[in-house]
Amino acid sequence: MERLKPAMLSLLGLLLCYLQPVTSLAQFGTPVEEDSFFRKNIIKKEAVLVKEDQADILLRFGAQPAFPNIDGPQMYYNKKALSNIAELEANGLDEMIPDRYLEQLDRQLVEYVHQFGIENFSKNVDLLWKTGRVKQLLGDTAKALYYYELAKIHNYGTRSPVFSYDTLIETSEWVNIEEYYEMLDIRRKIDPLIPPKEVLVPMGDQINSLAPDYAPFVDPSDSILIFTSRRDTTGMIPDSYVDPFAKKNEDLYYSEIDFMSGEWQEAVRLPDSVNSEFNEGSACLAPDGLTLYFTSCRQGVFLHTNNRNTLPEQKKRNKVSRRKKTPQADIQRNGMLFGSCDIYKATYDPTTQSWGHVQNLGKQVNSESWDSQPNMSADGRTLFFVSNRKGGFGGTDIYYSTLGEDGRWSKASNLGPMINSPKNEVTPFFHKINSTLYFSSTGQMKNFGSYDIFKARWMGTDWEQPKNVGPLVNTRGNQYYFSISGKGTTIFYSNAKDTEKDHVKQNFDLFSFPMPMEARPDAIAQLKGFLVDSVSGYPLRGKVMVIDTEEGIEITPKRINEKGYFEFDLVNDRKYRLYVMSDSIFTIIRDVELNQDTMFHFFTRSFEKNKPIVFEAMGFRSNSAKLSASVKPKLDYIIRFLDTYPMFKLEVEGHTDSDGRAESNLRLSNQRAASIADYIIRKGEFDTERITFQGYGETRPIVPNDTEENKEKNRRVEFKLVFDETYDGEMFLPSEEELILGDKIENIDDPEYDSEFDWTDEELEQLEKDQRKWEEELELEDDLDAELESDILMRANDEKPDSKKSKKKKD
C-alpha cells in the first residue's frame, strides 16, 4: 500500500480545501412568469444551487425531526385523534368543506401522520394521501405534493388503494432505450450534430479481471479507485462462478491514475491488515484520504486475534488462514462482529506507511443483521450505509450516523420515508454538489428494471422526491454499485453482461462513461413546455429530445403527456437545442440558452394524413419548360428531403399563365412537371411510383392574369407531399421551416452550376428519343409553340457534359 501514500499525501491539502462545506445559496436566476392558463397546475422549483452545511444532514423540519418515531415504536395509534379526524371529514374531502374545517382537519392530520412509526407508512398510507388532499384544497401545493409523494412511494407494492394526484402537477416520462436510439437515428438525419459520446466504456485489463469486479469508489479528485474483486482463487477448484459466501474470496483492490498518460495503473490488492481470510468489500475513503471505511463479513465470531478471550474456534481459523500474514499486518481487530457483515474503518499511518488500527464502528452503527456499503459525506462527518436490520421500511434500508466532536458515532437512524420504500434500497453515494444522494432501489416509482439508480437532493429540511436518472444509466437489469466523479460528469459503474439475476453468479466488470445530463448533480434548472395545436387549442402528444450544443451531449428524450406537457432537469448557463416531434405534428426545432427555469409554449398545426402538404412553388420563364440553373438547387433540396422523410410521396403539378392557346399551355405545363419529375427520379434514384406529375395549364391560377407580375406567379410548378399509407417505418415529420424553399436554398444563376448530376451516355440516348417523341407531339402553329420547341431542344445541349467528363463517367 506504500504506492497509495504519496498520492494521498499530495492530494490531502487539495481535498481538504476542495471539499469544504458551504452554507451560502447561489441563485442562478428568477423563474420566468407563466401564463395563468398553464400555471394553475404546475409547481415551480427555482434553479437554485443548494449547498447546505453537511455536518447536520439530519432528516428534520426546522429543529424538530420530521418523523421522530421512525427509529422508535413501529406503530403509532391514537383512537381519539382518529375519531376527531373522522368527524371533521364526515362531509367528505371536497371543495365545499368550509375553510375553518379544512384548517382544523389539516392540523389534526399533520400532527397525526408525523407521529407515524414505520409500520404506519404501509398500514395508514391513506392518511398521508388525505393530508396531501387537504393541503391541496387549502392551496398549499408544495406541501400537498410532499404528502402525495410519500403516499405513492409507500403504496407501491402494497395492497393499499391506489391514489392519484395527476391534477396537481404534470409529469413526463423518459422514452425507453430502444426508442432513444431510434430517435438518435432520426435526429442525425434531420439535423446532424456531434455524435453521441460512447457509453459503457470498459476500464481495461489493468482494472478488470476474468472474475467479478464491482463496487467502485473514486475519490473526488478522480485519481484513486478502490473496488471489490473475487479474482483471487488461490487453491480453489475452477468454477463457473465463485460464491464469495462459500469461498470467502472477496477482497479490496485499488488503482491510481497515471497523471502522465491519464490511464489507470495496474490494480493492487490492499494489504492483509485490511483484507482478511474472510470477505471484505464496498469501501470508501474519508475526505482526509487517510481513513478507509469498508465492510467485513466474518460469520459472527469474535475478532480479538491477540486477545485472551479469543474463542478456540477463531484461533484455529486464524492458524489455517490461506494467506501468510506479515508482522506489519498482524494487528488487533478491535471489537465484536455484531452481525453477518459489519462496517469497519482502517487508518493510514504516515509514520509506518501502513494501514492499521482496524476497528469495528461499534453497536451505534452496526446491528445483529447485515450492515454494509458505507459512503461518506463530503465533510467526513455523516456516514451513509445499508442494513436489513429489523424495524426498517423494506428488505434493506439506507441509514446514517453522524460523527460527534468526541469521535463517537451517533446511533444509526433510518434515512426516512422519502428515500426508503417498502422494498429495497442499496448502494448510497452522497455527492457534495447540491447535497445530492444517489442510491439504487426496487421500490421507488418509475423503475426501468429491478434495481434502478435514483437521485434526491437534501433541501435543508428533507429530501426531495427521488428521480430516476434515466434509461442511459438504468436498463431492464440491475443497476447498483457505482461511483460518481468529483465534478459529477463521469459515472463509474459495475455492469454484468450476462442475464443472470442472482448477484452472486453475475460476472461484473467495471465501466465508466460520461454522466448523462439529467443524472448529474448540477442538473437542477428546469426546462418545461406545453405543446398546443395552433388551430384547435388542444394539447398534442409527442416526444422531445434535447441536445447540449456546447458539448454535444444527448439528453434522453421524454414523452409529452396527454396534457401536452414535458419537463427536463438541465445544467444551467448552457445552450441547448430542442426537437419536438411526433406522428401528428411538424417537427419543431428551437435553440435556447438556459439561464433560469424556463417555460416554453409551442404552438403548431397538426398533420392530416389525407391532406397534401404544399411546398413553395417554383417559377419558370415565359413559355419555357427548361430546367434552369437557378431551379436545380431547389430540386436537389427536395431530393434530400424525400430521402430524409421516406413516409412521403411527391406529386408534381405544372401550371401556366393565360397567354397563348389553352391546348399549348396544357402541353407546356405537363412538360414542366415531367421535366422536374424526371430529374428528381433520376438523381434521387427513387421508384417511379413515388414521384408522379400532372399538368393543369392555365386552369388553376393563384392570382388573376391581369399583370405581368401576376402572370409570373401563375407560371409555376407546385410540389405536394402526400403521406404514403403503405409506410410502416418510424414516423417523424419535417419542420414547417423545411417546407419553405425560398430563403433556405441559395439561388444560383451561374449556368456552370454543377448539381452533382450528370447525364450518362445511356441517359442522353434516352433523352434524344424522348426529344424526338416530344417533337412529333408538338404542333408548332404559332410563335409560342416555336419558342417552346426551341427551349426543349436547348435542354439536352445545356445538360450535356463535356467529352472528358463523359468519358470519365463512362469508364
Side-chain angles (χ1 to χ4, degrees):
M1 193 56 186
E2 293 181 3
R3 294 174 56 196
L4 190 56
K5 178 236 177 192
M8 284 185 172
L9 292 180
S10 64
L11 291 169
L12 177 57
L14 173 64
L15 291 175
L16 290 175
C17 177
Y18 180 66
L19 299 174
Q20 283 295 313
V22 182
T23 58
S24 64
L25 298 178
Q27 185 166 338
F28 274 140
T30 304
V32 295
E33 290 296 324
E34 301 169 9
D35 294 345
S36 59
F37 174 78
F38 294 104
R39 187 173 182 176
K40 62 181 181 180
N41 290 328
I42 301 301
I43 295 178
K44 291 291 294 177
K45 292 183 180 179
E46 295 183 10
V48 177
L49 275 177
V50 181
K51 297 183 179 179
E52 292 290 337
D53 187 344
Q54 295 159 357
D56 186 24
I57 194 75
L58 300 179
L59 186 66
R60 295 179 180 275
F61 283 120
Q64 296 297 321
F67 296 97
N69 288 338
I70 60 173
D71 294 315
Q74 290 289 290
M75 185 72 183
Y76 172 75
Y77 177 76
N78 187 319
K79 183 177 180 179
K80 182 178 179 180
L82 288 175
S83 177
N84 291 338
I85 291 172
E87 182 178 346
L88 287 169
E89 63 171 335
N91 295 326
L93 289 178
D94 56 49
E95 288 78 355
M96 302 303 295
I97 299 178
D99 283 352
R100 66 179 183 276
Y101 290 115
L102 280 178
E103 291 170 358
Q104 294 179 41
L105 182 58
D106 176 53
R107 287 193 295 270
Q108 295 268 359
L109 283 168
V110 170
E111 181 178 348
Y112 195 91
V113 299
H114 282 280
Q115 297 300 315
F116 272 12
I118 282 182
E119 289 185 9
N120 291 97
F121 284 90
S122 59
K123 296 180 178 179
N124 297 130
V125 66
D126 59 314
L127 291 179
L128 292 171
W129 185 86
K130 288 178 182 178
T131 307
R133 178 63 174 152
V134 171
K135 290 289 186 185
Q136 182 182 358
L137 293 175
L138 289 173
D140 192 345
T141 56
K143 288 185 179 178
L145 183 60
Y146 172 80
Y147 292 105
Y148 280 144
E149 288 167 348
L150 284 175
K152 295 196 79 170
I153 289 172
H154 292 276
N155 173 71
Y156 185 55
T158 70
R159 296 184 178 180
S160 302
V162 177
F163 304 116
S164 174
Y165 58 96
D166 293 337
T167 58
L168 177 64
I169 187 169
E170 309 294 350
T171 59
S172 55
E173 297 182 354
W174 306 111
V175 302
N176 61 44
I177 195 67
E178 291 81 7
E179 289 178 288
Y180 168 73
Y181 286 114
E182 288 176 359
M183 292 187 71
L184 276 188
D185 291 337
I186 293 170
R187 201 269 303 156
R188 289 189 186 97
K189 291 179 181 179
I190 63 178
D191 190 17
L193 287 177
I194 301 173
K197 291 179 171 58
E198 188 177 5
V199 300
L200 279 181
V201 180
M203 296 190 70
D205 294 339
Q206 68 275 25
I207 300 296
N208 290 313
S209 67
L210 296 177
D213 304 289
Y214 49 97
F217 171 83
V218 178
D219 79 305
S221 68
D222 302 337
S223 62
I224 300 171
L225 168 70
I226 301 174
F227 64 97
T228 307
S229 180
R230 302 208 299 265
R231 65 185 63 186
D232 189 349
T233 57
T234 305
M236 298 181 185
I237 300 174
D239 208 346
S240 59
Y241 69 93
V242 179
D243 184 347
F245 304 108
K247 306 296 185 182
K248 303 180 181 60
N249 71 327
E250 277 189 309
D251 285 332
L252 290 169
Y253 288 74
Y254 76 96
S255 175
E256 297 177 75
I257 201 77
D258 186 328
F259 290 103
M260 297 297 292
S261 65
E263 301 291 331
W264 291 101
Q265 299 179 33
E266 190 76 22
V268 178
R269 179 180 173 273
L270 281 164
D272 290 341
S273 54
V274 174
N275 287 314
S276 73
E277 61 182 297
F278 299 100
N279 288 328
E280 280 76 31
S282 297
C284 70
L285 277 174
D288 61 11
L290 303 175
T291 307
L292 182 75
Y293 294 91
F294 64 98
T295 305
S296 184
C297 304
R298 293 181 174 81
Q299 308 302 313
V301 296
F302 284 95
L303 300 175
H304 301 284
T305 56
N306 294 321
N307 190 294
R308 294 179 182 178
N309 295 325
T310 301
L311 296 178
E313 299 93 311
Q314 176 62 23
K315 290 182 179 180
K316 181 178 180 181
R317 192 170 284 142
N318 290 336
K319 289 181 181 180
V320 298
S321 172
R322 61 186 174 86
R323 297 190 180 94
K324 185 177 180 180
K325 305 294 184 181
T326 63
Q328 185 174 322
D330 189 13
I331 62 163
Q332 282 226 345
R333 302 256 185 198
N334 294 315
M336 177 181 180
L337 185 67
F338 293 92
S340 59
C341 296
D342 278 1
I343 298 174
Y344 289 77
K345 75 170 183 177
T347 305
Y348 187 79
D349 188 342
T351 304
T352 61
Q353 299 184 358
S354 64
W355 286 94
H357 310 290
V358 177
Q359 291 182 318
N360 187 302
L361 292 191
K363 64 181 181 180
Q364 294 294 90
V365 173
N366 294 308
S367 69
E368 296 179 353
S369 300
W370 175 82
D371 303 287
S372 183
Q373 301 171 357
N375 185 262
M376 183 63 66
S377 64
D379 64 352
R381 297 187 59 187
T382 302
L383 179 74
F384 300 89
F385 65 97
V386 178
S387 179
N388 64 351
R389 65 187 63 188
K390 294 179 180 180
F393 286 96
T396 55
D397 280 7
I398 299 175
Y399 291 79
Y400 71 96
S401 177
T402 56
L403 185 64
E405 296 296 334
D406 59 358
R408 296 183 179 182
W409 291 99
S410 67
K411 183 179 179 181
S413 295
N414 191 292
L415 205 53
M418 187 60 78
I419 300 298
N420 292 315
S421 74
K423 294 191 176 181
N424 296 315
E425 279 67 44
V426 296
T427 59
F429 184 92
F430 188 79
H431 203 286
K432 71 183 187 68
I433 296 179
N434 291 321
S435 300
T436 306
L437 178 72
Y438 293 84
F439 63 98
S440 292
S441 173
T442 61
Q444 291 288 337
M445 306 299 291
K446 297 181 181 178
N447 278 46
F448 288 95
S450 181
Y451 281 96
D452 274 8
I453 299 174
F454 292 80
K455 71 171 184 177
R457 286 180 294 163
W458 174 250
M459 304 305 291
T461 56
D462 201 355
W463 299 99
E464 69 177 349
Q465 181 189 19
K467 297 180 180 179
N468 192 302
V469 299
L472 283 188
V473 174
N474 293 318
T475 66
R476 292 191 179 93
N478 291 320
Q479 278 71 48
Y480 37 57
Y481 291 139
F482 59 91
S483 184
I484 299 169
S485 65
K487 294 182 179 180
T489 56
T490 304
I491 184 169
F492 300 87
Y493 191 92
S494 303
N495 186 62
K497 294 183 178 179
D498 55 68
T499 58
E500 176 62 57
K501 293 184 179 180
D502 186 341
H503 158 75
V504 175
K505 296 182 180 181
Q506 285 185 296
N507 191 0
F508 290 93
D509 275 339
L510 294 178
F511 296 78
S512 68
F513 60 92
M515 195 76 160
M517 174 72 73
E518 59 273 13
R520 288 171 47 164
D522 55 349
I524 61 171
Q526 288 195 324
L527 187 151
K528 302 178 179 180
F530 281 93
L531 182 64
V532 180
D533 187 282
S534 58
V535 178
S536 67
Y538 292 125
L540 298 173
R541 299 294 296 267
K543 301 172 187 175
V544 184
M545 174 176 278
V546 181
I547 295 175
D548 176 350
T549 58
E550 294 184 3
E551 297 186 6
I553 299 175
E554 307 272 356
I555 291 89
T556 314
K558 283 192 171 183
R559 303 182 194 279
I560 300 173
N561 69 16
E562 67 277 2
K563 297 181 181 179
Y565 177 78
F566 64 88
E567 65 181 4
F568 289 86
D569 289 339
L570 303 175
V571 175
N572 220 0
D573 293 327
R574 302 282 280 273
K575 295 179 180 179
Y576 299 94
R577 176 163 292 179
L578 279 69
Y579 302 82
V580 184
M581 59 184 71
S582 79
D583 59 359
S584 63
I585 66 167
F586 297 107
T587 301
I588 301 172
I589 303 175
R590 294 287 186 273
D591 290 324
V592 57
E593 185 170 355
L594 192 65
N595 52 27
Q596 59 187 7
D597 286 356
T598 304
M599 174 72 78
F600 280 93
H601 301 158
F602 293 104
F603 296 90
T604 188
R605 59 190 176 103
S606 300
F607 168 67
E608 299 178 33
K609 291 184 179 181
N610 59 353
K611 183 179 181 181
I613 304 170
V614 180
F615 262 121
E616 180 180 307
M618 291 184 183
F620 276 76
R621 295 205 315 268
S622 177
N623 305 323
S624 176
K626 175 189 171 186
L627 293 179
S628 65
S630 63
V631 172
K632 290 178 183 176
K634 297 185 177 183
L635 295 183
D636 292 341
Y637 176 82
I638 292 176
I639 291 170
R640 293 195 301 272
F641 182 96
L642 292 173
D643 186 62
T644 301
Y645 299 101
M647 65 288 299
F648 287 113
K649 291 182 176 182
L650 181 69
E651 295 180 355
V652 183
E653 296 182 355
H655 304 273
T656 69
D657 57 29
S658 60
D659 290 349
R661 296 173 57 187
E663 296 83 354
S664 297
N665 286 338
L666 183 61
R667 288 195 299 269
L668 178 61
S669 65
N670 197 68
Q671 184 57 47
R672 285 173 174 170
S675 298
I676 285 179
D678 178 73
Y679 181 88
I680 292 174
I681 290 172
R682 289 175 184 271
K683 185 171 183 181
E685 299 180 352
F686 299 121
D687 293 336
T688 55
E689 294 81 8
R690 192 177 176 196
I691 314 295
T692 60
F693 65 90
Q694 178 68 49
Y696 292 94
E698 60 188 66
T699 61
R700 297 184 179 182
I702 55 176
V703 291
N705 285 292
D706 52 3
T707 66
E708 286 302 320
E709 182 180 357
N710 283 354
K711 290 179 182 180
E712 182 179 352
K713 292 179 180 179
N714 288 329
R715 295 192 298 267
R716 70 197 189 279
V717 168
E718 291 181 348
F719 302 91
K720 290 187 176 180
L721 296 170
V722 180
F723 184 77
D724 184 356
E725 296 294 342
T726 65
Y727 177 76
D728 59 358
E730 178 68 25
M731 184 65 183
F732 56 101
L733 296 181
S735 65
E736 294 188 59
E737 290 82 358
E738 289 179 278
L739 302 177
I740 301 174
L741 300 178
D743 297 331
K744 292 181 68 67
I745 308 300
E746 185 178 0
N747 188 17
I748 302 176
D749 294 321
D750 183 3
E752 300 298 324
Y753 168 75
D754 182 8
S755 64
E756 300 180 358
F757 179 79
D758 295 314
W759 300 105
T760 64
D761 292 342
E762 293 79 8
E763 289 170 333
L764 284 173
E765 182 179 351
Q766 181 63 44
L767 185 63
E768 291 174 358
K769 292 180 181 178
D770 293 340
Q771 176 183 324
R772 287 192 293 270
K773 183 178 179 181
W774 296 335
E775 289 175 351
E776 293 173 357
E777 294 177 354
L778 291 175
E779 298 177 6
L780 306 179
E781 298 180 1
D782 52 24
D783 293 340
L784 173 63
D785 289 340
E787 186 176 356
L788 171 61
E789 179 189 26
S790 176
D791 285 336
I792 294 175
L793 291 174
M794 289 172 61
R795 176 185 174 200
N797 292 330
D798 287 349
E799 298 290 345
K800 189 174 182 179
D802 59 43
S803 58
K804 292 183 180 180
K805 184 181 287 188
S806 296
K807 186 176 186 300
K808 183 177 180 181
K809 184 92 175 182
K810 187 175 182 180
D811 293 340

